[in-house]
Amino acid sequence: MRGFNLYDRQLDSVRALAVLLVLYAHFAVPGSNLGHLGVRLFFVLSGFLITRILLQARGGPDFDLRHALKFFYARRVLRIFPAYFAMLAFVGAIDLEQARDGLAWQALFLSNFWYAVRGEWMPWVLVHSWTLSIEEQFYLVWPLIMLTAPMRFLGRICIAFIALSLAYRLCWPLTGTPTIARDLLPPASMDALAAGGLLAVCRAGTAAWPRGLKPAALILGGAFIVLSWLDPRPTGPLLQWLLWIAREVLPLAPLVVLVGLASTGFKGAVGRFMEWSPLRALGRISYGLYLYHIVVLALVIKAQPWIPMDMSDYGLGWLTVGGAATLAVACLSWLLLEKPINGFKRYFPLTPLVAPGTEVDRPPKTRAGTGHPAMEAA
């Protein structure tokens, strides 16, 4: 198998870049597409890392399906649930922005359906939870597929998921007026998750990249940059639909290439930037940064009487005060909650023991918990 180093230093920096795009969009620039681009990057990285760890477990000499599935889900619970449910408990206890309404949907990781059915981003303090719901729904089906389907079909399965996601977008105009549901239902994100998975499948075999990916990334990435620079404002539903497809599909190949290059290590000046300690440190706490940032922002807005800067709208105040407060909360969450609990994952190796005290293909020991739930491989 190629490229199965289970801890890639520069992927921490990819996590950091993704979460910084989200924070910048939510704190500084209303309506920016950068936030969604950051989410798409998270999904690509998730698909790559989750698929890679599943294939590494499958490739062990004593692979056992039930063991692998049970321990995979145990590790996911340890990584995702503690901080997530602590956040929900806090928001529900004080009923922040009337967030108790629909809290059960949040707890069941169905918030993407909750917002889709309602057709509005209310309660807004938990709007970002839709991505975590997508992740959990992805975990329900993807591990079983990657662990049981014949290896020779895995690449085709990934391509099929990407094609189905594109078909979903092409059929959307038949539903009538666009709503937020088109971005929140699982098919809208399966292409990014499956594209990352396809990269992992190729690396598990004999190919470093999916065929034709690099030239496609140059062409599509250039088109996306031009489109973003022009920033068209469509007036009709057809043009809105075409623009939506372009903004979703064009960045996909470049994002996969970014993840692939970071997983093997950029060289030169880019490599030094990706190895920059502060950037990688942000990546390690990126789950907390993403999870808490809107909750912290809601509290900062309520604290306006005690803050000398204007907290009434997007801009410098939200970015500086909200960003600093989010960073502080994420650091505390990492040190006091996430990192200690992640240590228990050592009891759940994805490959079974061949003899007392001996593990097969145990991943090399690394720092526990390396970021966003979708981002952490082990």
Side-chain angles (χ1 to χ4, degrees):
M1 292 187 178
R2 304 181 51 143
F4 266 64
N5 171 25
L6 289 188
Y7 181 70
D8 308 285
R9 293 165 57 89
Q10 293 186 11
L11 291 184
D12 275 341
S13 296
V14 175
R15 298 180 181 98
L17 295 174
V19 79
L20 287 173
L21 287 174
V22 173
L23 266 61
Y24 179 74
H26 287 174
F27 286 176
V29 185
S32 171
N33 292 313
L34 292 178
H36 194 63
L37 186 65
V39 167
R40 298 280 282 172
L41 178 54
F42 272 138
F43 283 149
V44 170
L45 190 49
S46 171
F48 173 66
L49 290 176
I50 293 302
T51 303
R52 190 173 68 170
I53 194 63
L54 291 169
L55 296 181
Q56 191 271 343
R58 174 176 176 157
D62 285 350
F63 167 69
D64 178 79
L65 176 62
R66 286 190 295 180
H67 174 99
L69 285 173
K70 181 172 66 175
F71 279 35
F72 171 83
Y73 288 118
R75 295 170 74 89
R76 294 293 86 207
V77 166
L78 288 172
R79 183 65 191 105
I80 298 170
F81 282 27
Y84 180 72
F85 283 101
M87 183 269 291
L88 288 187
F90 173 79
V91 168
I94 66 172
D95 197 18
L96 185 63
E97 300 296 329
Q98 294 78 52
R100 285 179 188 163
D101 188 19
L103 206 61
W105 291 71
Q106 310 282 349
L108 293 172
F109 293 99
L110 294 172
S111 62
N112 58 325
F113 288 99
W114 164 260
Y115 289 114
V117 169
R118 291 167 63 89
E120 60 179 355
W121 293 108
M122 296 299 292
W124 69 270
V125 76
L126 293 173
V127 293
H128 59 309
S129 65
W130 75 269
T131 62
L132 300 176
S133 295
I134 290 287
E135 291 285 350
E136 292 302 309
Q137 292 154 24
F138 174 64
Y139 295 153
L140 290 177
V141 297
W142 200 252
L144 191 60
I145 294 173
M146 290 296 110
L147 292 176
T148 61
M151 285 292 296
R152 66 183 183 276
F153 292 144
L154 293 185
R156 300 174 192 175
I157 291 171
C158 293
I159 293 171
F161 270 85
I162 296 170
L164 288 172
S165 185
L166 179 60
Y168 165 84
R169 291 193 170 88
L170 292 174
C171 292
W172 189 260
L174 300 178
T175 66
T177 304
T179 68
I180 62 173
R182 68 181 187 181
D183 290 311
L184 298 181
L185 299 180
S189 299
M190 286 300 110
D191 56 345
L193 291 159
L198 180 60
L199 177 62
V201 169
C202 289
R203 295 282 173 89
T206 59
W209 299 95
R211 184 178 301 175
L213 176 65
K214 283 190 171 181
L218 287 174
I219 297 171
L220 297 177
F224 179 73
I225 291 172
V226 171
L227 180 66
S228 300
W229 177 68
L230 293 175
D231 194 20
R233 303 294 185 194
T235 55
L238 178 60
L239 291 178
Q240 290 178 3
W241 169 70
L242 292 173
L243 183 61
W244 171 63
I245 290 180
R247 285 175 171 164
E248 293 288 309
V249 174
L250 292 180
L252 190 56
L255 293 179
V256 175
V257 169
L258 172 61
V259 170
L261 291 175
S263 71
T264 55
F266 283 96
K267 308 299 181 184
V270 175
R272 289 191 293 273
F273 172 73
M274 297 295 282
E275 295 277 350
W276 188 37
S277 296
L279 190 64
R280 290 177 48 239
L282 281 178
R284 288 194 295 275
I285 63 169
S286 58
Y287 178 34
L289 289 170
Y290 184 83
L291 186 62
Y292 303 123
H293 76 283
I294 296 185
V295 175
V296 170
L297 177 61
L299 296 174
V300 165
I301 293 173
K302 289 183 179 296
Q304 174 67 85
W306 297 277
I307 300 175
M309 299 182 69
D310 181 15
M311 293 291 125
S312 62
D313 206 346
Y314 295 88
L316 185 61
W318 282 19
L319 188 61
T320 55
V321 179
T326 301
L327 179 62
V329 173
C331 287
L332 289 174
S333 174
W334 170 251
L335 293 173
L336 301 178
L337 180 64
E338 297 167 61
K339 187 176 181 180
I341 291 177
N342 278 324
F344 289 104
K345 290 197 294 186
R346 65 183 179 271
Y347 299 113
F348 299 96
L350 283 174
T351 49
L353 304 179
V354 295
T358 304
E359 295 180 13
V360 178
D361 286 351
R362 177 85 177 266
K365 186 177 181 181
T366 63
R367 287 159 296 190
T370 50
H372 186 274
M375 308 306 107
E376 195 225 334

